[in-house]
Amino acid sequence: TWTLDYDKQSDIEDACGHWYVQAHPKSPESMSRVFYSVDMVMGPSVPKVVGNFINKKAATEATGWVKRFSELQMATA
């Protein structure tokens, strides 16, 4: 689990999330499923459309690096 770093100034009012890793049902010895969940509250100065864009981009980036590096790790194992 993780939470927003409240010591840093941000347009995000609050955010928290968690990762969950599960063995893949078809290949539990060599594959996993990774779930990512985040709840974010944007500050009042952030338009809703901008908040939605930030949330989607952050989720894509947060999960993209996990896929990339886990596949690299498996290729060199």
Side-chain angles (χ1 to χ4, degrees):
T1 61
W2 59 269
T3 60
L4 186 66
D5 183 349
Y6 299 106
D7 292 334
K8 308 289 184 195
Q9 189 170 359
S10 173
D11 288 327
I12 299 170
E13 223 170 85
D14 198 11
C16 61
H18 70 272
W19 294 89
Y20 176 73
V21 181
Q22 177 185 69
H24 194 283
K26 291 187 180 179
S27 187
E29 298 300 319
S30 63
M31 296 175 70
S32 299
R33 288 181 173 168
V34 178
F35 299 89
Y36 174 74
S37 177
V38 62
D39 188 19
M40 188 179 332
V41 177
M42 301 305 286
S45 64
V46 179
K48 186 172 180 132
V49 68
V50 173
N52 289 341
F53 173 78
I54 291 169
N55 199 8
K56 184 176 180 179
K57 183 169 175 49
T60 301
E61 289 179 3
T63 55
W65 73 265
V66 172
K67 180 180 188 311
R68 250 186 338 274
F69 285 100
S70 63
E71 288 173 349
L72 284 172
Q73 183 70 30
M74 286 301 294
T76 60

